[in-house]
Amino acid sequence: MSPGKRAGSGSAVRAAALVLLAVLCIREYTGTGTPDQDPYLITDYSRLHPVKVERVAEGREEEQLVKLLEEAKAKKLSIAIAGQRHSQGGHTYYKDGIVLDMTPYNRVLSFDPGARTIRVQAGATWKDVQDFVHPYGLAVKTMQSQNIFTVGGSVSINAHGRDIRHGSMISSVESFRLLTADGVIKEVSRTENADLFAYVLGGYGLFGVILDVTLTLAEDEVYRMTTEATRVEDFGAFFKERVKGSPDVRMSIARISTAPEHFLTEMYATLYTADPSLKLADYNRLQTKEYGVLPSKVLFHLNRSSNWGKNLFWSLQKNYFSYRQNEIVSRNNAMRSESLFMEYREAGKNDLLQEYFIPVDEFANFVNRLRGVLLEEDLNLLNITVRYVNRDEEAVLSYAQDDMLALVCLFNTSLSEEAQSRFKAGIRRIIDEVIRSGGTYYLPYAAYPSVEQFRAVYPRHEQFFRKKDEVDPGHLFMNAFYETYRGDK
């Protein structure tokens, strides 16, 4: 529903809607919703393109993984590598192939608190890492804003998050071991088999099985959270002065209004500022439970469903974060983000992410043009968070080709063929504006951008695919992302 269309109001109607939505949320939260896909097919979080696979095989031991590769080659089967399967563009499966589920492969292998390094198997989640290093006063440097994902998956997409000092995932990876298509296990770092390092980081599982990863860690710190109101036209200057220009600000996340009353004009930013006067021991108890999930789910459903719901949700968000001024939080807890309230399982529809990286000085101009596209295309935009990622010249498919503000956009859309055709056209218009701004888009999400747009945004694509052919000439490791964007070359 576009911001230009007004829904009816009235206290009685709203009260009835809230009750109905609460019932729907309870059904959805307890998993009683109706599925919309064939249980014999497999897909990812998007539910867009389910395909039949040969089987799902769990990764458990090195020897078993080597034998699995041998079996796949003997049977002329492909292998796609999966973690939590939250990528949304077919990166974790391939038709008629074997899906290698790495989540059981999740042990901590070594830890050196003095050197601030930890080595974990690829299926370990960031929660596993946080729980392990927390007693030693250490924390993760870089990860997504949720800790549910696997380390191997985050390396494969070269993830980023709220931290504004350490950049994307590649900057905190010291080394990893890679099982390649020829059955050889290689130690990969910036000095050993270095030719592979910049391809596998952001390589989407196309170069081999990441067995384990050695990460550098940060100190756990105590932050004081503050929230400040701003506007889209002022945010570039605000960010450079108040966020990036303040040495004690370690993390930040901003939100842009998607409410019709303030559509893509109002913003607020939450800053995490280190406070050395506070003792870590007083604030470092790990948060283990997410509170307020059900009422938050109700409100977010209203945000999906109507314009007045969007206005209400934005108003409550602003009030909530204004109330939380000067809240004290440790780094480890700040990186255990709340997310359960956004889970969504409605048959025939889904919430889908797209993410755009825009140079800081181009931010306001881009958002103004984005507003026009969204209104014309009638896209149901639910949420935009704004993060920051430092320039990365190392990864071959680097999305941070400058110091970038990342706009993480959550849309709700029908999964019908007709609706998806319209939605794709709208997203491609947005990508054209991204390119016009000298920006990029993130590759882990649904493959709406055209091959031509992909090649324009990622100028080293030919180098990437040539290396894929060199390392894996038989294309043992495959996924739908490769099939889509390799094109006819």
Side-chain angles (χ1 to χ4, degrees), residues 399-473:
Y399 48 84
Q401 297 164 13
D402 199 341
D403 290 346
M404 299 284 202
L405 290 171
L407 289 82
V408 185
C409 302
L410 184 67
F411 298 90
N412 181 259
T413 179
S414 167
L415 301 181
S416 72
E417 185 175 346
E418 180 182 356
Q420 281 295 297
S421 178
R422 293 195 305 269
F423 189 72
K424 178 187 287 188
I427 296 299
R428 288 185 175 182
R429 284 191 62 191
I430 294 173
I431 299 296
D432 284 340
E433 297 301 334
V434 169
I435 294 170
R436 181 179 169 187
S437 295
T440 65
Y441 67 91
Y442 205 15
L443 294 173
Y445 300 126
Y448 296 120
S450 68
V451 173
E452 291 72 24
Q453 287 175 323
F454 166 75
R455 291 173 179 169
V457 169
Y458 288 93
R460 299 171 72 185
H461 63 273
E462 290 186 7
Q463 177 184 341
F464 179 85
F465 290 127
R466 279 198 305 270
K467 189 67 172 180
K468 160 67 176 175
D469 293 342
E470 174 192 325
V471 173
D472 181 17

Side-chain angles (χ1 to χ4, degrees), residues 278-294:
L278 300 173
K279 294 180 180 179
L280 178 62
D282 294 334
Y283 300 98
N284 71 342
R285 181 176 179 181
L286 281 180
Q287 177 183 321
T288 58
K289 183 178 180 180
E290 188 172 328
Y291 296 95
V293 173
L294 189 55

Side-chain angles (χ1 to χ4, degrees), residues 37 41-53 88-90 93-95 352 415 417 420 424 446-448 480 483-484:
Q37 64 187 65
L41 303 178
I42 193 167
T43 183
D44 53 27
Y45 191 80
S46 72
R47 311 201 318 263
L48 282 171
H49 303 292
V51 299
K52 176 183 171 294
V53 298
Q88 299 179 13
Y93 60 91
Y94 193 68
K95 58 185 178 182
L352 298 178
L415 301 181
E417 185 175 346
Q420 281 295 297
K424 178 187 287 188
Y448 296 120
E483 186 175 60
T484 300

Side-chain angles (χ1 to χ4, degrees), residues 59-69 81 100 102-109 119-124 150-153 155-156 175-180 183-188 200 207-214 477:
R60 296 194 177 276
E61 301 292 339
E62 278 186 20
E63 184 178 350
Q64 171 241 350
L65 291 171
V66 172
K67 288 181 178 177
L68 181 66
L69 266 59
I81 306 164
L100 175 54
M102 291 295 287
T103 56
Y105 197 78
N106 56 17
R107 291 186 292 121
V108 174
L109 300 177
R119 180 171 159 243
V120 298
Q121 291 180 326
T150 63
V151 172
V155 168
S156 293
S175 64
F176 53 89
R177 291 193 311 142
L178 185 73
L179 174 59
T180 56
V184 174
I185 297 174
K186 297 181 179 180
E187 184 78 27
V188 181
V200 178
F207 294 89
V209 182
I210 298 170
L211 296 176
D212 48 69
V213 182
T214 300
F477 300 106

